[in-house]
C-alpha cells in the first residue's frame, strides 16, 4: 500500500512537471470546463430571475466540475490505440497507478488555474456561502471524484474494443452535463424525472455536492444522496475491474 | 466551379472511407440522437418553468436548437477535420503540403478534409427544425423558409471563418491551442442571444458572432427579419471572409516550413 502510494506520488510529480510545458493549453482546458456551469447559470437566471441560491449553486457546481473532470480518453485511450500501453504493462506494478498519478497531477493543475477564477466569481457575485454546508459537501465532493473517475475510466477502456472511445467519453460528459445538474439543477426536474435524476450516477458525480454546498437539500435528501454515491461507487468499481481485465486480455501491440 | 468539383471529389472519397466502417455510422447515429434527445428534454424542462426564455417561446427555442444542431453538423463535417489541433501542424511544419498543391491554400487548409458522418447531426437538426415548426401550429410563409436558408448559408460561412481564425492564432503563438475554448464558446449558441446579460450579449454578437450564427437565422424563420438585418447579415458574412483572407495572408508570412 505504502509502495503504491509512493509510486502514485512519483507519477503525479513527474506528470505535473511534464505538463508545465503545456500550461497555456491547460488554461484553455480549465476555461473550457467553466463554460457549462456558466451556460447553465445564464439559462436559469434568465428563466427564473427570482430563484434563490442559483449563483451559490452554480459556483459550487463549477468547483465540482473542475475537481471531477478527467481527460482519460487522452491519457489512457491514446496509449491503448498507439500500443504504448505495453510499456506500462511490463512494469512490476499495475498501470492504473500511473493513470492515478496523472489524474492527481491534472487535479493540481486545475486547482492552481481554477482557484483564481472561482475566487473572482465568489468576490464579484458576493454569494452567501454557509461554512457548515460547505463542510458537509466535502465528503460528497471526494466521492464524486472517485465515482466520476471510475465512470470515465470504464468509458475510456472501451478503446480496447472500438476506435470510438473519444466519442464515448464525450457522450458520457454530455449526459453528465444534461442530467447531472449542470444544464438543469436536479431540483428543477419535474417530479417523475426528478427521482430518476437524483438516483442517477450523473447526479452523484456532479450535482449532489453542489446542491449540498448551496444548502438546497434537506437532511434526508443529503443522506439519500450519499447512499446513492456509495451504490454507484461500488457498481463502477466492479464494472471497471471487469472491463480492465477483459480488455487487457484483448490488447495486442507490435514492437518493443 | 473548380473548387466545387474539388470539394465534391474530397467528400466522395471521404464518404467511401467512412462507409468502410459501418459500425461507426450506427454509433454516430445513436450518439447524435441521444445528445439531441437529451438536449430537447432540457429545453422542455426549462419551458415547464417559464413561458419565455429571453423573449423566445418553446417552439422558437426548438427551432433555434435545430438550427444550432444543423450548423454543428456542418462544422463537424467540413471544418473541424481540418483545423482540430492545427497548432501541431504549424509546429511540425506540416503546412507545406497545402502550400505546394495547385489549389488555393486557404481552401485546402480549412476545407480540404471532410468527415461525412458529421452530416448525421445536420439531418437530425433539420428534423428538429421541422418539429419546432409543427409545434407552433401556424403556417410558415415560403419566403421565410428561403430567408432562413440564405441566413443558414451565411451562418455556415461565419462559423467557418471564426473557427479558422481561432486556429490561425497559432501562426503567431504556436503554443496556444484554443480548440477547447472555441468548443465551449460554441455551446452558447444553443440558446437565444437575447437571454444573456451585457457585456456577454455584446461579446456573443460582435466578438464571437453566435447571434449571427444561430439567433438571426432562427429569428428569420419564426418571426421574419427586416431587409436591413438580412442585408447586415450578408455584409457581415462578406466582411468575415475578407478578414479571414487578410489574416491568412498575413499569418502565412510568419510560417517557416520544416523542409526549407
Amino acid at each position: 500500500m505504502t509502495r503504491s502510494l509512493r509510486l502514485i506520488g512519483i507519477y503525479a510529480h513527474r506528470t505535473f512537471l511534464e505538463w508545465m510545458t503545456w500550461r497555456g493549453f491547460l488554461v484553455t482546458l480549465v476555461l473550457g470546463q467553466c463554460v457549462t456551469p456558466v451556460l447553465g447559470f445564464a439559462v436559469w437566471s434568465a428563466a427564473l430571475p427570482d430563484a434563490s441560491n442559483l449563483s451559490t449553486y452554480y459556483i459550487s457546481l463549477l468547483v465540482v466540475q473542475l475537481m471531477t473532470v478527467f481527460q482519460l480518453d487522452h491519457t489512457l485511450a491514446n496509449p491503448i490505440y498507439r500500443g504504448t500501453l505495453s510499456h506500462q504493462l511490463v512494469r512490476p506494478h499495475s498501470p492504473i497507478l500511473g493513470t492515478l498519478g496523472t489524474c492527481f497531477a491534472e487535479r493540481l493543475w486545475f486547482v492552481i488555474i481554477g482557484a483564481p477564477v472561482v475566487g473572482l466569481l465568489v468576490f464579484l457575485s458576493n454569494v452567501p456561502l454557509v461554512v457548515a454546508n460547505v463542510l458537509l459537501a466535502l465528503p460528497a465532493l471526494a466521492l464524486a471524484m472517485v465515482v466520476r473517475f471510475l465512470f470515465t475510466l470504464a468509458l475510456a477502456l472501451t478503446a480496447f474494443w472500438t476506435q470510438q472511445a473519444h466519442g464515448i467519453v464525450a457522450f458520457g460528459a454530455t449526459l453528465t452535463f444534461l442530467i447531472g445538474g449542470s444544464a438543469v439543477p436536479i431540483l428543477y426536474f419535474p417530479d417523475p424525472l426528478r427521482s430518476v435524476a437524483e438516483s442517477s450516477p450523473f447526479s452523484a458525480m456532479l450535482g449532489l455536492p453542489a446542491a449540498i454546498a448551496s444548502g438546497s437539500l434537506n437532511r434526508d435528501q443529503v443522506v439519500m444522496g450519499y447512499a446513492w454515491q456509495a451504490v454507484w461507487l461500488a457498481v463502477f468499481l466492479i464494472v471497471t475491474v471487469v472491463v480492465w481485465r477483459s480488455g487487457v486480455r484483448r490488447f495486442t501491440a507490435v514492437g518493443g | 466551379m473548380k473548387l466545387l468539383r474539388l470539394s465534391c471529389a474530397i467528400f466522395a472519397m471521404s464518404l467511401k472511407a467512412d462507409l468502410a466502417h459501418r459500425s461507426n455510422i450506427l454509433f454516430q447515429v445513436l450518439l447524435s440522437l441521444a445528445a439531441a434527445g437529451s438536449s430537447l428534454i432540457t429545453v422542455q424542462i426549462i419551458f415547464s418553468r417559464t413561458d419565455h426564455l429571453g423573449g423566445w417561446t418553446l417552439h422558437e427555442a426548438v427551432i433555434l436548437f435545430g438550427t444550432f444542431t444543423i450548423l454543428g453538423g456542418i462544422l463537424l463535417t467540413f471544418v473541424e477535420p481540418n483545423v482540430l489541433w492545427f497548432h501541431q501542424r504549424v509546429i511540425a511544419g506540416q503546412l507545406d503540403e497545402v502550400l505546394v498543391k495547385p489549389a488555393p491554400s486557404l481552401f485546402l487548409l480549412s476545407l480540404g478534409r471532410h468527415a461525412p458522418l458529421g452530416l448525421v447531426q445536420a439531418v437530425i437538426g433539420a428534423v428538429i427544425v421541422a418539429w419546432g415548426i409543427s409545434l407552433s401550429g401556424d403556417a410558415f410563409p415560403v419566403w421565410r423558409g428561403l430567408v432562413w436558408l440564405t441566413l443558414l448559408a451565411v451562418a455556415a460561412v461565419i462559423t467557418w471563418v471564426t473557427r479558422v481564425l481561432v486556429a490561425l492564432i497559432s501562426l503567431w503563438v504556436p503554443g496556444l491551442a484554443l480548440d477547447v475554448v472555441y468548443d465551449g464558446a460554441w455551446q452558447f449558441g444553443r440558446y437565444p442571444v437575447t437571454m444573456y446579460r451585457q457585456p456577454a450579449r455584446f461579446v456573443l454578437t460582435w466578438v464571437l458572432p453566435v447571434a449571427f450564427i444561430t439567433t438571426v437565422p432562427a429569428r428569420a424563420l419564426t418571426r421574419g427579419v427586416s431587409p436591413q438585418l438580412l442585408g447586415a447579415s450578408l455584409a457581415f458574412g462578406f466582411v468575415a471572409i475578407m478578414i479571414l483572407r487578410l489574416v491568412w495572408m498575413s499569418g502565412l508570412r510568419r510560417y517557416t516550413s520544416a523542409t526549407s
Side-chain angles (χ1 to χ4, degrees):
Chain A
M1 187 68 180
T2 318
R3 180 174 167 270
S4 296
L5 286 176
R6 203 182 312 135
L7 282 169
I8 291 171
I10 291 168
Y11 276 119
H13 183 240
R14 200 181 69 180
T15 309
F16 181 82
L17 295 177
E18 277 176 9
W19 284 15
M20 204 168 272
T21 323
W22 299 100
R23 54 192 180 276
F25 178 63
L26 288 166
V27 170
T28 68
L29 271 187
V30 171
L31 289 178
Q33 294 303 328
C34 293
V35 166
T36 50
V38 169
L39 187 59
F41 176 68
V43 170
W44 285 100
S45 54
L48 305 173
D50 302 325
S52 59
N53 273 355
L54 212 53
S55 50
T56 315
Y57 175 80
Y58 272 105
I59 286 176
S60 308
L61 195 87
L62 172 58
V63 174
V64 180
Q65 175 72 6
L66 290 176
M67 293 302 291
T68 61
V69 71
F70 296 98
Q71 319 291 326
L72 287 166
D73 52 331
H74 296 285
T75 55
L76 186 63
N78 283 350
I80 294 173
Y81 289 142
R82 290 193 203 111
T84 52
L85 183 72
S86 56
H87 304 173
Q88 298 171 41
L89 287 170
V90 294
R91 289 177 189 165
H93 60 75
S94 168
I96 294 299
L97 297 186
T99 305
L100 279 169
T102 304
C103 289
F104 277 113
E106 184 186 349
R107 281 295 62 77
L108 198 53
W109 271 113
F110 273 43
V111 168
I112 291 170
I113 300 166
V117 178
V118 174
L120 186 70
L121 286 175
V122 170
F123 175 73
L124 289 177
S125 57
N126 200 19
V127 290
L129 280 173
V130 179
V131 176
N133 289 337
V134 173
L135 290 176
L136 191 61
L138 285 180
L141 176 62
L143 282 169
M145 281 173 72
V146 181
V147 175
R148 195 160 177 185
F149 170 76
L150 293 171
F151 172 73
T152 316
L153 183 60
L155 296 183
L157 288 176
T158 56
F160 283 122
W161 289 271
T162 168
Q163 290 289 316
Q164 301 284 339
H166 293 283
I168 292 171
V169 172
F171 180 59
T174 304
L175 285 183
T176 309
F177 162 67
L178 292 169
I179 311 170
S182 189
V184 182
I186 306 285
L187 291 173
Y188 294 164
F189 275 80
D191 242 346
L193 279 177
R194 184 172 156 183
S195 51
V196 174
E198 275 175 346
S199 55
S200 75
F202 306 107
S203 167
M205 290 186 283
L206 188 63
L208 180 74
I212 297 174
S214 60
S216 312
L217 302 180
N218 62 35
R219 201 165 152 195
D220 291 345
Q221 288 171 318
V222 172
V223 172
M224 192 50 87
Y226 271 108
W228 278 116
Q229 279 192 314
V231 168
W232 288 115
L233 193 152
V235 168
F236 287 133
L237 190 60
I238 293 166
V239 168
T240 308
V241 169
V242 171
V243 171
W244 169 255
R245 285 186 180 164
S246 48
V248 165
R249 273 189 227 113
R250 271 184 63 90
F251 179 72
T252 49
V254 180
Chain B
M1 205 55 179
K2 180 188 161 196
L3 289 185
L4 191 65
R5 273 206 308 274
L6 188 59
S7 207
C8 290
I10 293 169
F11 188 83
M13 276 165 49
S14 307
L15 190 63
K16 276 180 199 161
D18 273 5
L19 288 175
H21 307 279
R22 287 186 194 150
S23 59
N24 286 357
I25 300 173
L26 182 69
F27 180 79
Q28 189 68 40
V29 171
L30 289 176
L31 221 63
S32 302
L33 277 176
S38 26
S39 294
L40 281 176
I41 291 171
T42 304
V43 172
Q44 293 270 18
I45 292 172
I46 293 167
F47 278 91
S48 70
R49 297 208 154 237
T50 182
D51 294 331
H52 291 88
L53 188 64
W56 290 57
T57 60
L58 173 62
H59 83 270
E60 291 174 334
V62 169
I63 288 173
L64 185 138
F65 177 67
T67 307
F68 169 79
T69 309
I70 292 173
L71 287 163
I74 292 171
L75 179 69
L76 209 61
T77 305
F78 298 105
V79 188
E80 281 294 342
N82 301 284
V83 293
L84 191 63
W85 310 126
F86 180 75
H87 71 293
Q88 289 175 353
R89 291 171 72 189
V90 175
I91 292 170
Q94 290 171 349
L95 296 189
D96 298 19
E97 61 170 311
V98 298
L99 296 176
V100 295
K101 286 180 181 167
S105 55
L106 183 58
F107 170 80
L108 288 177
L109 174 97
S110 59
L111 298 165
R113 300 176 194 171
H114 296 164
L117 287 188
L119 282 183
V120 170
Q121 192 178 320
V123 172
I124 291 172
V127 173
I128 294 171
V129 170
W131 183 56
I133 290 172
S134 73
L135 273 181
S136 77
D138 297 332
F140 278 69
V142 177
W143 68 266
R144 270 200 213 166
L146 293 175
V147 172
W148 175 72
L149 280 174
T150 308
L151 289 173
L152 199 64
V154 173
V157 167
I158 296 172
T159 301
W160 165 63
V161 169
T162 51
R163 182 65 186 91
V164 178
L165 279 177
V166 165
L168 291 184
I169 289 172
S170 56
L171 286 169
W172 282 268
V173 194
L176 190 62
L178 294 175
D179 303 66
V180 183
V181 175
Y182 186 87
D183 185 47
W186 174 255
Q187 300 303 323
F188 285 96
R190 61 173 67 224
Y191 298 109
V193 79
T194 47
M195 184 194 82
Y196 304 105
R197 296 175 191 164
Q198 296 290 13
R201 193 186 295 182
F202 177 84
V203 171
L204 293 173
T205 304
W206 299 108
V207 181
L208 185 80
V210 165
F212 285 99
I213 291 172
T214 55
T215 306
V216 172
R219 174 63 84 205
L221 189 58
T222 54
R223 297 186 197 178
V225 287
S226 62
Q228 289 88 344
L229 187 55
L230 179 62
S233 296
L234 291 169
F236 195 99
F238 180 75
V239 170
I241 294 173
M242 290 298 111
I243 291 173
L244 178 61
R245 277 182 60 84
L246 282 175
V247 171
W248 169 237
M249 296 311 288
S250 163
L252 200 55
R253 285 191 213 109
R254 296 185 57 88
Y255 174 68
T256 48
S257 82
T259 51
S260 58

